[in-house]
Amino acid sequence: MQFTVHSVSGCARAGLLVGTHGQTETPCFMPVGTLGAVKGLTWEQVKGMGYSLVLANVYHLYLRPGLEVIEAAGGLHSFIGWNGLILTDSGGFQVFSLGRLMKIKEEGIEFRSHVDGSKHFFSPEFVVEFEERIGVDIGMVLDECTPYPATYEYAKHSMERTLRWAKRSIEARTTDKTALFGIVQGGVYEDLRLKCVEELVKLPFDGFAIGGLSVGEPKEEMYRITRLVAPKLPPDKPRYLMGVGTPEDILEAVEAGVDMFDCVMPTRNARNGTLFTSRGKINIKAAKYRKDFSPPDPECDCYTCRNFSKAYLRHLYASGEMNASILNTIHNLHFYAKLMERIREAIKGGYFTEFKREFLAKYRGG
């Protein structure tokens, strides 16, 4: 994998990430295709919006359809019919969210499947092997996702285990075709985060992620840790803020120097009837839209906004029509794609701070 920063505006960076199966401009947002599909859309639609890097999840793919099926298909790209870049989350967050169905050991994580209750085990070595064998472009290493709130001692032990697992992950890799990203943990404690960065950057990772945020902590805590950590990461490697987030979150993190983002929000919110627009979020379920024949966002040129009204989208949602989720998802992912495009243009033009201020004023003002 190659990464080049072409422009800067303050700490914000615009660059190009090149992997085995293509390239993407940064800052970029990755649509979440957990099981090898973005819910409600075809890959042609996703590609048509300008996306060239998507996210899948090791935990879910391991359980269904399993390594044997994906390998027999010729790898994940071939299996799902996507010819762009793929990043896989290690599944650590999903495993930790299992609570009592999960047990952390120094060797790895023992857990029970949420599908059928069967017992399984993930080690750092196995996660790297899985990601290499299915042929993804970027693999996240197994880490211990520190919850919020967590005591200082818990966060410290968690961070130290993440570092030990990171070293084992590097030792386990067998190819450079799958890039590996290390993950910074440490909760909301600044000294732990800085210690984790100090040790992690000594390892030959291809990129670095900030994990353990967007797990319930106040927004200002997330912004504080992001502003602390991002500038300390190597300037010639991509920086990824995991599981984030809203347009406001993305703008704050880009300003701190983050290059990559993912979040289920645009797709999940779409299925729940919430649309992102240039003037903030709207709830299409609201009765006030029953006879509103204007587009969801007059400033948007997506297929949904060019062809359908709020009244029609509300009708589809209220009727339980499948097209409600599809049309809402088209709009939300288009909105995120255009936001990232405008962010990149602002960085290249040297006016990112002004763009951020003007965008948020309009977005929050409704």
Side-chain angles (χ1 to χ4, degrees), residues 211-231:
L213 294 178
S214 195
V215 292
E217 77 284 351
K219 288 277 190 185
E220 267 313 311
E221 292 286 78
M222 174 171 62
Y223 297 157
R224 177 175 62 86
I225 295 300
T226 302
R227 288 191 290 261
L228 172 77
V229 172

Side-chain angles (χ1 to χ4, degrees), residues 139-156:
M140 305 305 298
V141 299
L142 187 65
D143 64 325
E144 183 176 342
C145 185
T146 310
Y148 180 88
T151 65
Y152 182 88
E153 282 305 310
Y154 184 101
K156 182 174 183 290

Side-chain angles (χ1 to χ4, degrees), residues 265 267-277 281-292 296 309-321 324-325 328 332:
M265 195 168 289
T267 47
R268 180 178 290 170
N269 280 18
R271 298 193 300 276
N272 293 329
T274 298
L275 302 180
F276 292 90
T277 78
K281 292 188 294 185
I282 64 172
N283 182 350
I284 207 66
K285 303 188 290 278
K288 65 181 179 180
Y289 298 128
R290 183 168 175 265
K291 292 184 179 180
D292 187 336
S309 67
K310 297 187 189 81
Y312 180 62
L313 295 178
R314 181 183 183 276
H315 157 69
L316 291 178
Y317 191 92
S319 303
E321 281 288 339
S325 292
N328 291 347
N332 278 356

